[in-house]
Amino acid sequence: FKVAVLYTWASISDNSTRREVETRIGQCRQSAASSLLNMMCDCVVDVDSGLRCKSHFPKLAGMLMHGEGKSLDGALFTGLLPEGDDRAKLEEAVDKAQACGSGGDAPAPTMLTVSMKDSIGNRLK
């Protein structure tokens, strides 16, 4: 498969076609990563560059006991963490990942353990 992809990539001369192939490859990678994470984790949350939830994540909302009326769509992920060391640890890890990825390469995956808070502010580990 890799050889076919590399060969196809090398033979593409049209920029719009190249961009479409890049987009499709990125979508396949994202899908594969999400599938793997869903098998290994209780909940997978997709955030944008501003650390806002890209959609509502029912599993996370349930884990944090938010009830059905509260959507996490657009919620600032750091707002789901207790103030203090855990927020700082997450922000530092994101800054480090963005710095590593600024050369055009994707940042290396990182594991980070932080506490979260439930709907009434109790700290969860």
Side-chain angles (χ1 to χ4, degrees):
F1 181 75
K2 287 182 183 179
V3 173
V5 170
L6 292 173
Y7 176 75
T8 303
W9 180 254
S11 68
I12 296 173
S13 59
D14 180 34
N15 283 338
S16 64
T17 305
R18 185 176 291 212
R19 279 192 298 274
E20 185 177 331
V21 169
E22 286 176 339
T23 300
R24 287 184 183 175
I25 289 171
Q27 290 170 344
C28 288
R29 285 181 180 160
Q30 180 72 24
S31 177
S34 291
S35 294
L36 181 61
L37 288 171
N38 275 312
M39 286 189 289
M40 297 173 52
C41 303
D42 294 321
C43 178
V44 176
V45 179
D46 194 11
V47 296
D48 63 17
S49 60
L51 294 180
R52 293 193 175 275
C53 295
K54 286 187 174 181
S55 65
H56 176 62
F57 297 95
K59 282 185 181 179
L60 179 61
M63 289 170 60
L64 300 178
M65 299 175 279
H66 279 213
E68 292 187 30
K70 184 174 180 183
S71 175
L72 294 176
D73 188 16
L76 189 59
F77 188 77
T78 53
L80 302 173
L81 306 178
E83 293 195 25
D85 292 344
D86 285 340
R87 280 191 191 188
K89 196 166 38 169
L90 175 65
E91 290 167 355
E92 181 181 330
V94 169
D95 289 344
K96 191 175 185 180
Q98 287 175 342
C100 290
S102 63
D105 295 331
T110 303
M111 184 174 163
L112 184 66
T113 302
V114 294
S115 298
M116 299 191 80
K117 61 183 182 179
D118 67 12
S119 61
I120 58 172
N122 294 321
R123 187 182 198 106
L124 306 172
K125 287 214 172 216

